[in-house]
Amino acid sequence: MNIQALLSSHFANAMTHVGVDSGADPVIKQSSKPQFGDYQANGMMGIAKKMGVNPREFAQKVLDELDQSQTLNGIVDKLEIAGPGFINIFLNGEFLAKSAQTARTDEQLGIAKIQHDTIVVDYSSPNVAKEMHVGHLRGTIIGDSVVRTLEFLGNKVIRANHIGDWGTQFGMLIAYLEKFESENGENASDMALADIENFYRNAKALYDKDEQFAETSRQYVVRLQSGDEAMLAKWRQLVDLTMTQCQALYDRLGVTLSPKDTMGESLYNPMLKDVVESLKKQGLAVEDDGAMVVYMDEFKNKEGEPLGVIIQKNDGGYLYTTTDIAAAQYRKHTLNADRVILFTDARQAQHSKQAWGIAKMGGFVPQDFEMVHHTFGMMLGKDGKPFKTRSGDTVKLADLLDEAIERATALINERQSDLSEQEKQAVINAVAIGAVKYADLSKNRNTDYVFDWDTMLSFEGNTAPYMQYAYTRVRSIFAKAGVNGDELTGNIIINDDNERALAIKLLQFEECLITTAKDALPNTLALYLYELAGVFSAFYEHCPILTADEPIKSSRLQLADLTAKTLKQGLELLGIKTVERM
Ligand code: ARG
């Protein structure tokens, strides 16, 4: 159910009947105040102005047309012109009741799978032999929530974990792994990479001080790139070990990425030569100091001189940008994507503009192929500086999650409860992981956000524990009533303003999901769920459920049931687990 879309189409239809060009938008919005109705049509003034007619008279004409065609009968109780030409729309209670009833018994909660795009979503994308750190956390969590929402709306999503698994550093890493194994025994690789960050650092240190090791490393890169089996085997070992560790984190976090989603840089390596050739042939890449460079009009330095983007170094090596040009082509033509969404932090904004700009210039994808880069701000500590450990190191994700569990354990143990030990563990896990994810998801991704254990683990405010608790409160009504949502029958009846407000809020779930997906802003969904919990609280306070007489009792139970289902589904789309009791 999408009230906004329903009203839009009826208004648009009426507008064409009174002489407006088709395609004009009546601008239907949820009203901000009850006296303005439930929805408003705000587009009349603009359209009237364009047509050179009086806005209020024009609005009246549209209303007369709607009246005559009777298309809004049973949907709307009252339409009223306000101010300079707004139309306030008051929805019909029976319509709301019926719609809520339909949504409640539908497994998609009445939300049709209306979108059918094939969308490549590039997110998480860590690097081999480097541990995933908090910098990858935001992209992983936000990307995963957007992916879930896009799929829920019906799209086909191809997850692309664009891991950094290729490049000159692999010569060094392979050489170091080999050395480590020769010193510590054949099966030492697990041990070597147990602390993957350290492994990388030690390899780099040796590379910098030991010329012979550096020479071996350089030879290994050449061998690796020419497809030497022994080198490839070691390289695969490094990739597998890293990805096993990442997968363990995805599983802990409840992120839907799996090994089959890995499409790392190495996948595109065989395509890079052709990319450069083609750009050269088209005269778009030119030689500069032995390197191949593309100049783009959009990129100039302070003096107004064009800034070149290097796509091949003078030693023949390719770059991060070259790979992304090939990736764009692959996604469009091999994966048949309708569009591409990329999540990384804001520092890569220029990179994607360049790579995608060149991909379009060179004809690797059509000019109108939609590729959107959703960036996000940094995760800050309470001191307002980039989030680091006390000693100034980047925080490892695994350690962060351990701490979350520790803190959630203390929090849950403080509370009185009759939960079994097993239930308690499930609650702790849901709260710990939920808190870390929700703290991020509930904020607008465009801003930096302060990572603060105390606020994220509070039962007050827009937090995971609050939302998870709100869900259990609704569920507890059913435990007390001794009924199951599926057994409920009868009609939803709307008499009270609080019932009405709850029904409308519930029926706005689809509108919320569409906006969430369109803007890739999960905080929209988080806010909606938080508000829904608030509207439900008001309803529960004013409309007794268990002590009400039938048929009111069953009706209110049904509203509570749809609330529980919506909260659960909404949290699931954010990737946040719910529990039945806390
Ligand atoms: N591996 C990169 C990093 O850690 C992110 C890759 C993002 N995806 C892309 N197609 N460039 O910074």
Side-chain angles (χ1 to χ4, degrees):
M1 165 52 55
N2 187 329
I3 300 172
Q4 198 270 347
L6 182 73
L7 293 172
S8 290
S9 84
H10 285 312
F11 268 83
N13 215 347
M15 281 167 14
T16 52
H17 279 111
V18 299
V20 180
D21 293 341
S22 63
D25 183 0
V27 194
I28 306 287
K29 291 250 173 351
Q30 297 173 13
S31 296
S32 52
K33 292 202 182 100
Q35 64 264 37
F36 299 150
D38 304 305
Y39 281 76
Q40 285 172 278
N42 296 346
M44 302 309 128
M45 285 88 72
I47 295 165
K49 199 174 162 204
K50 253 199 218 134
M51 295 169 66
V53 297
N54 176 299
R56 282 189 68 105
E57 276 168 25
F58 171 71
Q60 188 57 53
K61 256 192 172 165
V62 175
L63 292 199
D64 291 345
E65 170 60 31
L66 282 166
D67 202 30
Q68 218 170 37
S69 66
Q70 304 194 352
T71 43
L72 287 178
N73 280 11
I75 298 176
V76 155
D77 270 347
K78 185 170 73 169
L79 294 167
E80 145 194 299
I81 302 176
F86 296 104
I87 299 174
N88 297 341
I89 305 165
F90 297 81
L91 297 168
N92 174 274
E94 181 81 3
F95 162 74
L96 295 171
K98 281 253 149 48
S99 305
Q101 209 169 307
T102 311
R104 190 187 77 83
T105 49
D106 179 65
E107 65 175 72
Q108 278 258 129
L109 305 179
I111 297 170
K113 294 213 174 266
I114 40 168
Q115 301 182 356
H116 303 287
D117 284 351
T118 297
I119 310 168
V120 169
V121 184
D122 178 330
Y123 70 111
S124 189
S125 308
N127 300 314
V128 168
K130 292 212 179 149
E131 193 145 5
M132 240 173 114
H133 56 75
V134 296
H136 291 110
L137 180 65
R138 295 201 77 186
T140 303
I141 293 176
I142 297 168
D144 202 52
S145 166
V146 172
V147 160
R148 287 165 185 255
T149 309
L150 287 168
E151 282 182 338
F152 188 74
L153 290 171
N155 297 290
K156 177 181 168 200
V157 173
I158 301 173
R159 293 161 175 75
N161 198 354
H162 193 90
I163 64 168
D165 64 352
W166 202 249
T168 45
Q169 74 276 25
F170 280 91
M172 168 188 97
L173 292 168
I174 292 169
Y176 194 71
L177 180 59
E178 195 180 68
K179 183 171 140 59
F180 195 92
E181 283 179 343
S182 75
E183 285 165 7
N184 298 282
E186 254 305 293
N187 293 320
S189 52
D190 280 358
M191 190 168 99
L193 288 164
D195 187 349
I196 225 161
E197 196 78 16
N198 228 351
F199 178 84
Y200 196 101
R201 210 176 300 138
N202 293 341
K204 182 80 177 64
L206 190 64
Y207 184 90
D208 289 339
K209 76 162 199 259
D210 183 336
E211 185 39 45
Q212 202 183 333
F213 177 76
E215 181 49 34
T216 311
S217 300
R218 284 191 288 269
Q219 283 167 12
Y220 280 12
V221 181
V222 177
R223 281 174 60 188
L224 178 67
Q225 294 192 333
S226 59
D228 180 321
E229 263 314 319
M231 292 293 117
L232 280 170
K234 283 260 165 298
W235 166 76
R236 234 168 260 133
Q237 220 178 321
L238 287 160
V239 176
D240 289 349
L241 282 162
T242 308
M243 291 319 286
T244 304
Q245 294 189 8
C246 287
Q247 190 58 47
L249 283 170
Y250 295 149
D251 295 344
R252 260 186 102 178
L253 278 168
V255 162
T256 60
L257 282 165
S258 72
K260 69 172 178 5
D261 303 318
T262 299
M263 283 183 237
E265 294 179 17
S266 61
L267 172 70
Y268 308 100
N269 185 55
M271 309 166 199
L272 303 183
K273 193 165 161 272
D274 289 346
V275 166
V276 175
E277 269 317 306
S278 165
L279 286 166
K280 237 197 304 201
K281 234 190 245 140
Q282 299 180 65
L284 296 169
V286 293
E287 205 181 308
D288 190 343
D289 246 350
M292 294 309 296
V293 182
V294 179
Y295 289 95
M296 299 166 78
D297 292 340
E298 301 94 296
F299 295 97
K300 302 221 164 68
N301 66 12
K302 278 195 220 94
E303 281 73 46
E305 293 153 4
L307 271 178
V309 182
I310 303 179
I311 54 165
Q312 188 170 23
K313 291 186 285 187
N314 55 12
D315 66 3
Y318 301 105
L319 291 106
Y320 187 49
T321 311
T322 330
T323 305
D324 268 312
I325 299 168
Q329 179 180 37
Y330 181 81
R331 290 164 181 181
K332 166 70 193 156
H333 295 290
T334 305
L335 299 178
N336 290 317
D338 294 308
R339 52 196 173 99
V340 170
I341 300 177
L342 164 67
F343 289 94
T344 76
D345 74 43
R347 287 170 299 186
Q348 297 195 29
Q350 162 134 330
H351 161 76
S352 63
K353 274 204 195 90
Q354 294 177 330
W356 293 347
I358 297 172
K360 287 184 177 178
M361 235 166 71
F364 300 103
V365 298
Q367 282 294 340
D368 61 357
F369 184 51
E370 191 181 316
M371 296 182 279
V372 198
H373 188 176
H374 294 303
T375 57
F376 41 85
M378 278 199 294
M379 189 161 143
L380 305 175
K382 260 172 128 170
D383 55 2
K385 301 210 184 95
F387 190 69
K388 292 266 165 72
T389 62
R390 236 171 271 146
S391 55
D393 291 328
T394 52
V395 178
K396 288 182 185 163
L397 214 44
D399 294 345
L400 189 86
L401 297 184
D402 289 344
E403 184 167 355
I405 296 280
E406 215 172 276
R407 287 176 181 262
T409 306
L411 180 77
I412 298 303
N413 280 338
E414 259 169 34
R415 296 168 71 86
Q416 283 247 5
S417 85
D418 56 357
L419 296 178
S420 70
E421 203 41 48
Q422 198 186 352
E423 279 178 299
K424 211 177 216 177
Q425 280 314 316
V427 170
I428 288 170
N429 201 55
V431 166
I433 305 297
V436 170
K437 295 175 84 175
Y438 197 84
D440 195 330
L441 293 166
S442 57
K443 314 251 170 23
N444 187 309
R445 66 173 157 75
N446 291 306
T447 48
D448 293 344
Y449 91 99
V450 176
F451 188 92
D452 178 3
W453 289 115
D454 298 329
T455 42
M456 76 174 74
L457 281 165
S458 165
F459 273 93
E460 271 150 50
N462 190 7
T463 65
Y466 172 82
M467 291 308 305
Q468 288 164 324
Y469 182 64
Y471 172 74
T472 62
R473 273 189 62 199
V474 189
R475 293 294 302 143
S476 72
I477 297 165
F478 288 87
K480 266 189 225 137
V483 291
N484 186 321
D486 302 338
E487 298 160 359
L488 296 170
T489 52
N491 291 330
I492 291 183
I493 305 154
I494 290 181
N495 290 323
D496 183 283
D497 279 351
N498 289 288
E499 293 168 329
R500 195 171 193 286
L502 180 58
I504 292 187
K505 192 77 192 168
L506 286 165
L507 292 169
Q508 289 171 338
F509 189 37
E510 177 173 324
E511 289 168 47
C512 159
L513 295 183
I514 288 176
T515 320
T516 301
K518 180 165 76 53
D519 307 330
L521 287 175
N523 62 304
T524 310
L525 173 54
L527 181 63
Y528 167 82
L529 296 173
Y530 181 63
E531 287 174 356
L532 172 59
V535 174
F536 180 81
S537 286
F539 157 82
Y540 194 41
E541 197 179 310
H542 294 101
C543 302
I545 298 181
L546 298 177
T547 55
D549 292 330
E550 289 297 356
I552 301 296
K553 181 177 171 184
S554 287
S555 163
R556 290 182 178 164
L557 277 169
Q558 287 187 65
L559 284 170
D561 184 47
L562 181 57
T563 305
K565 285 177 168 154
T566 306
L567 288 173
K568 188 182 168 82
Q569 181 64 65
L571 288 169
E572 193 176 310
L573 294 178
L574 289 172
I576 307 285
K577 284 210 173 74
T578 44
V579 287
E580 293 301 301
R581 302 198 309 147
M582 269 174 101

